[in-house]
Amino acid sequence: MGHHARILALTAAVAMGISGAAAASRLRYASDVPKSHQKRLEADFERFREIPAIGEDPLLLSMLEIQSPSTEAISDWILARVKVVTGKDFNTGAPGVTVTLREGVVYPQREELPWGVVKGELEDPLPEPGDQPKTVTVMSNLGGALYLDGKLSGNILGVYVPGIPEPLEILSPRVGLVQIDQGLFTNPEPDRLAARLHRVSTMLHEARHSDGTGKSLGFFHFVCPDGHDYAGQEACDVAQNGPYAIEGRALKLFASTCGARCTKKEKEMLRLEAAEMAGRVFPALPAFSGEGAM
Ligand SMILES: [Zn+2]
């Protein structure tokens, strides 16, 4: 009996260890996300939360509507907007994946297309707020496009994610359904803090796609103007508080946050990337037909 109890106790401890790790981020993973990727993302949040001081960037904090700067507050901000993670082959257009849960639903501002979405684009395939279509995809937020699809058709959609028995109800872009792709773990030293900070900045970007309403719904990207490195691709923003603005400011802040834990070269890489992201934000673009600030 004593032995038996000890074995049970050990089993419980092991089980708690596993669920404790999952609870660290509260993210739900589809079964098609490799365990090694799940572990790495969990460690990203854990190591990030361990950083005692984030540094100062009042503008970034005001964009995120965070009162006091901390890595915990930033993690929580992400996790309120990124909730379910799928693998790279997940396809919302595959048979039986996206279903209609309720028909004839009245959405607010039903006819209103968000900025960055052109009417003709709405036929199959749906534009996704996904990034860099002609380069390696890092991560995409699928929730915004699915919500828009439901809104325009007047239906509540549901999505079957591998390993999760009940369909995710797409009741708002905040469903937080994101897809990780091959580009997310290409860093040759993926466990360095610099690599983790880089992935956290990517998650901040994707999290922003879960925000917005009406014209700013999903913070869809615009086609970059002629002469830009990404000319012709939907890889630019007009929103001054959109995904690229947030990602750029976060990368710049993280370069100083990292301090002695990053090498000079790593910090330089974070700053270069920050400048690249900032260079995707424009006060206005030819395709932009809105007025006022977003
Ligand atoms: Zn994006």
Side-chain angles (χ1 to χ4, degrees), residues 90-98 124 128 146:
F90 180 67
N91 178 6
T92 54
V97 173
T98 303
D124 205 17
E128 286 170 3
L146 285 164

Side-chain angles (χ1 to χ4, degrees), residues 163-183:
I164 298 179
E166 74 282 6
L168 288 185
E169 282 189 73
I170 313 294
L171 297 172
S172 90
R174 282 278 178 101
V175 65
L177 177 62
V178 303
Q179 178 166 37
I180 57 174
D181 218 313
Q182 51 200 3

Side-chain angles (χ1 to χ4, degrees), residues 19-288:
S19 64
S25 81
R26 307 190 301 271
L27 283 174
R28 295 172 86 188
Y29 295 96
S31 56
D32 63 348
V33 180
K35 285 282 182 287
S36 61
H37 290 183
Q38 297 184 24
K39 275 188 182 162
R40 188 155 278 141
L41 284 176
E42 289 302 311
D44 287 348
F45 279 101
E46 282 170 39
R47 296 292 93 77
F48 184 64
R49 279 173 181 267
E50 284 166 11
I51 298 172
I54 184 75
E56 293 288 333
D57 184 349
L59 183 56
L60 177 63
L61 293 180
S62 76
M63 287 178 187
L64 304 181
E65 294 176 317
I66 288 175
Q67 308 305 325
S68 56
S70 73
T71 52
E72 284 211 348
I74 289 178
S75 298
D76 290 345
W77 190 90
I78 294 171
L79 294 167
R81 294 162 177 80
V82 174
K83 295 173 183 168
V84 181
V85 180
T86 70
K88 68 178 174 62
D89 296 324
F90 180 67
N91 178 6
T92 54
V97 173
T98 303
V99 296
T100 297
L101 298 177
R102 287 197 290 287
E103 291 180 331
V105 179
V106 180
Y107 280 81
Q109 306 156 299
R110 179 175 167 185
E111 298 302 322
E112 192 163 34
L113 279 179
W115 279 305
V117 177
V118 181
K119 232 179 194 118
E121 285 182 342
L122 284 175
E123 281 84 57
D124 205 17
L126 252 182
E128 286 170 3
D131 308 315
Q132 305 151 20
K134 285 171 199 158
T135 56
V136 180
T137 303
V138 174
M139 208 171 176
S140 313
N141 187 328
L142 308 176
L146 285 164
Y147 177 77
L148 179 62
D149 194 16
K151 177 180 154 171
L152 294 172
S153 61
N155 299 320
I156 299 284
L157 302 180
V159 173
Y160 282 96
V161 173
I164 298 179
E166 74 282 6
L168 288 185
E169 282 189 73
I170 313 294
L171 297 172
S172 90
R174 282 278 178 101
V175 65
L177 177 62
V178 303
Q179 178 166 37
I180 57 174
D181 218 313
Q182 51 200 3
L184 191 61
F185 298 110
T186 49
N187 190 304
E189 295 185 279
D191 294 329
R192 294 279 304 164
L193 186 59
R196 297 193 190 284
L197 290 168
H198 194 245
R199 288 194 291 273
V200 170
S201 73
T202 300
M203 281 186 269
L204 276 163
H205 174 120
E206 296 309 328
R208 188 50 136 189
H209 283 304
S210 296
D211 282 337
T213 172
K215 288 289 189 190
S216 63
L217 172 69
F219 284 95
F220 286 82
H221 297 308
F222 281 73
V223 172
C224 298
D226 290 344
H228 190 272
D229 283 353
Y230 293 94
Q233 297 185 40
E234 286 174 351
C236 286
D237 279 347
V238 173
Q240 303 300 304
N241 60 352
Y244 285 123
I246 286 173
E247 187 178 10
R249 294 207 75 93
L251 282 161
K252 193 175 172 208
L253 176 65
F254 291 169
S256 61
T257 304
C258 203
R261 287 159 291 211
C262 286
T263 64
K264 215 178 147 189
K265 192 184 163 198
E266 285 173 333
K267 282 185 268 198
E268 192 52 37
M269 289 300 290
L270 289 169
R271 289 197 189 98
L272 276 173
E273 187 93 350
E276 211 260 305
M277 295 304 162
R280 296 169 181 234
V281 183
F282 291 81
L285 286 170
F288 177 60

